[in-house]
Amino acid sequence: MDFKKFLPWIIAVVVIIGIYSWVKGINNTAVTLNQTVEQSWGDVQTAYQRRNDLIGNLVNTVKGAADFEKSTLTAVIEARAKATSVKIDPANITPEQLAEFNKAQSGVSSSLSRLLVTVEAYPNLKANQNFLKLQDELASTENQILTARTRFNEAVKPYNSHIKTFPNSLFAGMFGFKEKAYFNAVEGADKPVEVKF
C-alpha cells in the first residue's frame, strides 16, 4: 500500500475537520454569549416590571388622599402606560430601540420623582405606612434596575467583542449575529440637577 498516494487526502480531511471545528466554535460561542445577553435583557425587563407593578400600588395609595394633585398622578399613570408599550426583541436590540425604551423609562422616573416631591406637602400621606413601604420598595427597585442595566452592558461587551474581532467577524454576519446596543445614560443626565427651595 502506497501511503504517499493517500497523504494529500488525509491532509485535506484534517484541514476540513479543523476548519469545521473552528467555524463551529465561533458560532457556538456567539450563540452562548447571545443567550447571556438575552437573559440579562430579561432581568432588565423584570426589574422595570417590578417598578411598574409598584407604581400601580403607589398611585392607588396616593389616590386615597382626596385633595392630592390630580395632574401629578395623571403624569405618573401616563408615563407608566407609555413605558409599558415600548417592546424590544432581545435578539435584535438596536441603539434606536434602546434609546426609545430608555426615554420612556426616564419619563416614568421623572414623573415618579415629581410625585414623591409633591407628597412632601401632604403630612397625612407622608405618615401613611403603606405609602412609606411602597416608597422604600421603589427605591430598592431603582437600585435593582441600575444593577440589571449594568449586568446587561457587561453581557453585551463579550458578545460584541466576539463577533466583531477578526476573523470571527467574517462568519458572524453569515450566521446572523449582529452587534448589540448598550444602555447609555438618559439624555441630559450629565447636567446637574436643579434644586429649588
Side-chain angles (χ1 to χ4, degrees):
M1 182 166 154
D2 188 11
F3 181 73
K4 289 182 180 179
K5 187 165 119 180
F6 293 106
L7 187 60
W9 289 103
I10 294 171
I11 291 172
V13 167
V14 168
V15 167
I16 289 170
I17 290 172
I19 290 172
Y20 170 78
S21 297
W22 174 64
V23 171
K24 183 176 104 175
I26 290 171
N27 181 66
N28 290 351
T29 301
V31 167
T32 302
L33 292 171
N34 188 47
Q35 288 299 306
T36 303
V37 170
E38 289 187 20
Q39 176 193 357
S40 296
W41 179 249
D43 294 343
V44 167
Q45 288 183 309
T46 299
Y48 278 116
Q49 183 61 52
R50 175 176 160 74
R51 179 173 75 174
N52 288 333
D53 294 345
L54 287 171
I55 289 170
N57 295 334
L58 184 71
V59 166
N60 288 334
T61 302
V62 172
K63 277 183 183 174
D67 60 342
F68 194 80
E69 297 173 23
K70 300 284 188 238
S71 63
T72 306
L73 279 177
T74 303
V76 171
I77 293 166
E78 288 173 358
R80 176 183 176 221
K82 184 176 180 183
T84 56
S85 71
V86 177
K87 303 289 182 215
I88 293 181
D89 174 13
N92 191 26
I93 297 174
T94 64
E96 295 79 21
Q97 289 175 326
L98 209 49
E100 181 184 353
F101 180 84
N102 218 7
K103 184 178 178 186
Q105 294 300 336
S106 71
V108 174
S109 297
S110 175
S111 62
L112 262 179
S113 295
R114 284 193 303 277
L115 172 69
L116 296 175
V117 166
T118 306
V119 163
E120 294 297 316
Y122 295 85
N124 292 341
L125 190 54
K126 280 182 16 182
N128 181 312
Q129 291 303 310
N130 285 339
F131 178 81
L132 294 174
K133 183 176 180 236
L134 286 167
Q135 194 174 12
D136 285 345
E137 286 187 41
L138 275 170
S140 169
T141 300
E142 291 298 326
N143 287 334
Q144 289 174 5
I145 289 170
L146 175 63
T147 301
R149 287 172 54 143
T150 301
R151 288 184 180 154
F152 174 79
N153 282 349
E154 289 170 354
V156 168
K157 182 180 178 183
Y159 168 82
N160 282 349
S161 295
H162 178 73
I163 67 161
K164 289 178 75 176
T165 55
F166 183 82
N168 299 357
S169 58
L170 298 174
F171 299 100
M174 288 180 0
F175 296 141
F177 295 105
K178 298 176 186 155
E179 183 178 2
K180 304 246 186 240
Y182 289 97
F183 260 110
N184 293 315
V186 188
E187 191 175 317
D190 57 338
K191 295 181 177 94
V193 177
E194 185 178 334
V195 179
K196 295 181 180 176
F197 293 100

